Amino acid sequence: MVWVSSPWKIALMVFPAFILFTAFFVYPIVYAGGYSLTDAAGFSGADFIGLDNYLALVDDPFFRRSVSNTLLILVLSVTFLVPASFGLALLMQQRVRAAGALRALLFGPAIVAPILVGLVWVFILDPRVGLLNHLVEPLGIPPVQWIGGDSLTPYSIAVVFIWASVGFAMTIFYAGLQLLPREVMEASSLDGASRWQQLRFVTVPMMRETIGIVSLLLITNVFKIFELVYMLTGGGPVHSSETLVSYMYFVTFTDQRYGSGMAIAMVVFVIGAITSLAYLALSRRGRLA
């Protein structure tokens, strides 16, 4: 006997999830959107000012710098993290000694709090006491401002983010590789396909959905980078290393311009949503992954 759910039963089962989704996702977005249209600051009143906060962001050089830094980290992460984690997953699939220990070692940074990851890398990248400058000093290389400078800091943040995320992405790829049907791989091998041809024409097309999931998670995680910036540089010097979320935190809680901070939050939400939806749309058409 096939049990058929009535629309009322389906609605009853979905209702608790709908309430939670509305309370913890929809309502905060609507609330932040409303606040972004006011001049709320500190404990003073909030008057409606329309789109003035958004128009002010266009002329804000620190906001523009935070956007460029975030997009730079995104491009570097997509360019290097996805291929690197996929390659590591392929390597872990081979018969390598201590493969389990290597997987655990690579996955380790993913379970460490980002604030602790930032703290560890401070002792590596700090221009004065950092390990990296001490290692290159005997080679006659002058101290480099890996963090705290005007140019290299966003690249350093991208490197730390990639280091902290590669194990997590590798684990997802590794799980996807384990689900590939062995019959297809064996058939391609019997047909005379080389390992490179198997990878290009069999493995990668069959892993397309997994690659899309990893890329989508990567995009959303880049738009949430805060702790690394807070720990490595605090957004300095003069907000030159801010990301969108770290600058939103400064404007909202340090400068106490809640209306402007919520406007930045809405921009982050819109950019993240558009980027994710665009990638999903292109992936479905087979133009990516």
Side-chain angles (χ1 to χ4, degrees), residues 109-127:
I111 62 177
V112 177
I115 197 74
L116 296 180
V117 171
L119 179 61
V120 170
W121 278 87
V122 164
F123 290 105
I124 298 175
L125 299 175
D126 187 272

Side-chain angles (χ1 to χ4, degrees), residues 43-68:
F43 295 99
S44 60
D47 296 324
F48 180 79
I49 58 173
L51 298 177
D52 288 358
N53 287 325
Y54 294 94
L55 297 176
L57 292 179
V58 178
D59 299 323
D60 187 348
F62 300 141
F63 173 75
R64 294 199 298 269
R65 186 62 182 268
S66 69
V67 172
S68 65

Side-chain angles (χ1 to χ4, degrees), residues 75-86:
V75 171
L76 292 175
S77 299
V78 171
T79 302
F80 294 103
L81 180 54
V82 175
S85 57
F86 186 62

Side-chain angles (χ1 to χ4, degrees), residues 136-142:
V136 300
E137 185 178 359
L139 303 177
I141 301 176

Side-chain angles (χ1 to χ4, degrees), residues 180-191 198 202-203 206:
L180 295 183
R182 296 183 181 273
E183 296 81 4
V184 177
M185 305 302 295
E186 292 174 355
S188 64
S189 180
L190 292 174
D191 288 339
Q198 285 182 327
V202 180
T203 304
M206 294 178 67

Side-chain angles (χ1 to χ4, degrees), residues 211-282:
I211 295 174
I213 291 171
V214 171
S215 301
L216 185 58
L217 290 174
L218 170 62
I219 292 170
T220 56
N221 286 339
V222 167
F223 282 105
K224 295 188 293 184
I225 292 178
F226 168 71
E227 296 93 333
L228 293 180
V229 176
Y230 183 81
M231 198 68 230
L232 290 171
T233 66
V238 198
H239 302 293
S240 62
S241 61
E242 298 276 17
T243 59
L244 280 168
V245 176
S246 66
Y247 187 57
M248 177 196 69
Y249 178 88
F250 169 81
V251 171
T252 306
F253 299 105
T254 303
D255 218 18
Q256 293 191 344
R257 291 185 286 129
Y258 298 126
S260 298
M262 292 303 99
I264 299 175
M266 294 305 299
V267 171
V268 173
F269 170 74
V270 171
I271 292 177
I274 291 176
T275 305
S276 300
L277 292 174
Y279 182 85
L280 288 175
L282 291 174

